Amino acid sequence: KFARLTLDPDFQISRIDKRVYGSFVEHLGRAVYGGVYQPGHGSADEEGFRRDVLDLVRELQVPIVRYPGGNFVSNFYWEDSVGPVSERPRRLELAWRSTETNEVGVNEFARWAKKAGTELMMAVNLGTRGIDAACGLLEYCNHPSGTKYSDLRIAHGVKEPHNIKTWCLGNEMDGPWQVGHKTAREYGRLADETAKALRQIDPTVELVVCGSSNTGMATYPQWEATVLEEAYNSVDYISLHTYYGNRLNDTANFLAYSDDMDHFIRTVISTCDFVKAKKRGKKDIMLSFDEWNVWFHSDAADSDTMGNRPWSVAPHLLEDQYNFEDALLVGLMLITLIKHSDRVRMACLAQLVNVIAPIMTEEDGPAWRQTIYYPYLHASKYGRGVALNTALRSSRHDTREFTDVTDVEAAAVWNDEAEELTVFAVNRDLEDSITLETDLRGFAGYELTEHIVLEHGDFKAVNSAAAETVAPHTVTDRDELDGGLLKSRLAPASWNVIRLK
Ligand code: AHR
């Protein structure tokens, strides 16, 4: 078994858009209420935001957060979420069969984002509503003053516009579960007209049109082609979503799902380029992988809650407790995103707090880090700069659903400003250590500074508020750098971050 990389500053994929390390907060379960916002909690600040959560979000250096949904957005009445809190209505929230109190809305969340040091990616409701509501919200958020909605914002105490740059045109409109689900042709037309109207209000916005909800959709990938035939010239990005789960309880097979993600990305790029040729387009459509993660642990509990105990406020929903193997797949998915950073310009780990999240909160206790927190932290922190073409060669294996799966997957990022080089590598062989040989002759003078590893003897090990069972550590006896050749021992089933300077 072997793995080899060759790194050279001239072999570049692309400068990475930092927004590829984005995340997502939806009005769902305890993401907002009891997550980012919990007045009365010991760590709450004067506005009710939990400081312990803010600290972890800042530690992750999350560059952008998608908001307010998700499926939630398809029945979102933004006007209910602004103005005096005491006058805001409670609403039936149809996507997750909960009650939305509207205590936190557009302005509160924008303030939270500022405190978290992150940017907003706003979604508009193209399910139950349309062009009119989308235009109203953009005017409210971005127009300086002197019009109905900009003056309403000022009357609500927010003088400066939020200047939100990135806007999603609805959410998963291909899904029959979506309130206001549409055919590709219907949605493509609506997205195109909405995009044109939004650009009249603010020509600087960047617009994301909905692609398929996952590769299993019957309409995939014709959906992408049809939607882009309608909206190619008026949008900038197309969205991709995917969630994986180890439903077969087959770890080797589970760790190959990042190959499915890779294939998904390639297919959407091809589809965009096909439509570009057909329409004699001038620009490329970029990809926004704005929902990705592991999600399956909580499925049964969620059906029970939504089916049998609907309409509660902030119920426990989608509270997947992640184990060690989930962290490995999240690392592999991050590697896949980095490798495609020339076309995937934005991506959102779905989600951020309590709901399929790296950060969990205890109602009367602390915020804590799930296993998946760590690969996300490392990629966000050390994955800024230029993605390098690694020319990876690795021995391979087959799994139940995949063939020719590389034993080692890797990506490399060169932070040219800080003169730092980072290799992210997962050994997905479950039995054996594999030596990763990295040819570094193109980076003369670089020395190893740190080799961080996430490894654990139990694939099902989880973290909790009481114990961080799965946490990274630094190793000092697994690397040898000699004559420009770095040999690194990658433990079986491990996430590795090899840093040089
Ligand atoms: O992230 C949870 C849900 O997954 C989102 O609301 C929806 O867009 C997707 O199906």
Side-chain angles (χ1 to χ4, degrees), residues 209-230:
V209 76
C210 293
S212 295
S213 300
N214 57 69
T215 53
M217 302 300 294
T219 47
Y220 166 79
Q222 185 58 49
W223 171 276
E224 280 77 356
T226 306
V227 165
L228 287 175
E229 271 168 22
E230 296 294 340

Side-chain angles (χ1 to χ4, degrees), residues 24 26 70-71 96 171-172 241 243 291 295 318 351 356:
F24 176 28
E26 177 167 3
N71 296 338
W96 306 103
N171 176 70
E172 294 190 347
H241 292 180
Y243 295 99
E291 285 188 35
W295 171 18
L318 280 65
Q351 301 191 9
I356 42 174

